[in-house]
Amino acid sequence: MLSKVKIVVVEDEVFIAEALRIMLENLGYEVTAMFNSGIEVLKNFKPGLADIIIMDIELANNTNGIDTAIELKKICDPTIIFITNNTDERVRKKAIYETNAVHYVPKPFTKLDISIAIDLALKHSANKEIASQKATEFSYLMNDSIFVKDGGSFKKIMVSDIRFLKANGAYCELYYNASHIIFSENLSFLEVKLAFAKNLLRVHRSYIININYITKIQDNRLWIDDEEIPVGVTYKKELSDLIRFI
């Protein structure tokens, strides 16, 4: 292994969090950060901070790991392992099917439980990386258009017709002309795929827009037709550099 696998721990019980940190480091992994609430995670998490997130479902400040994972999917796509003592079957199904979690470990857990979960997570990540390299699984890129998978075929969409892309929970919506398509991909993945299109710009963790369709800008908001879109602080300067204000 050329570099250590980076893991973030999200657990509100200090004793369990510390025990898990020691367990992970003894297994040879690097714990890059520890948080106790979903608010802390969303405020401080950045792409590249972790390869895997091990997260409790019930967290501090009335937050929970499932909603946190759904919000994280708008930013990037870390592999998630849930740990919990919650035995509600509905919660378990929501954790598995509405997030990008690859494993669900009941408490109390052992070192072997965690080791197996991480091995499965790493296998999942490796398979996903191979799949993402196959351009035919999403689109064939051209200078002015993309071919988007639509059912059993690929539909051609002109880049100039794309109005904006919007993250929506575990999905992403692409709006073009008067239509839209829903993907089960995160916005960061699509941002990379569409990097060749210079008129498409990320302005918020939940939005990529076509700057040619902006109809109004006010403070930290902009409009594309009737859609009001927030502009994130970290994206505001890049947007301002592209717009001529008089």
Side-chain angles (χ1 to χ4, degrees), residues 141-173:
L141 302 184
M142 299 171 65
N143 290 333
D144 58 357
S145 63
I146 55 174
F147 281 80
V148 179
K149 194 169 185 179
D150 185 19
S153 61
F154 288 85
K155 183 175 184 178
K156 183 177 181 178
I157 296 178
M158 302 301 294
V159 171
S160 59
D161 290 336
I162 297 174
R163 295 164 53 234
F164 62 89
L165 294 92
K166 177 181 179 181
N168 185 2
Y171 300 92
C172 183
E173 299 176 65

Side-chain angles (χ1 to χ4, degrees), residues 18-36:
E18 185 60 20
L20 185 55
R21 180 189 67 78
I22 294 171
M23 189 181 294
L24 292 168
E25 290 178 349
N26 287 339
L27 286 168
Y29 302 115
E30 178 185 0
V31 178
T32 54
M34 298 175 70
F35 305 113
N36 69 2

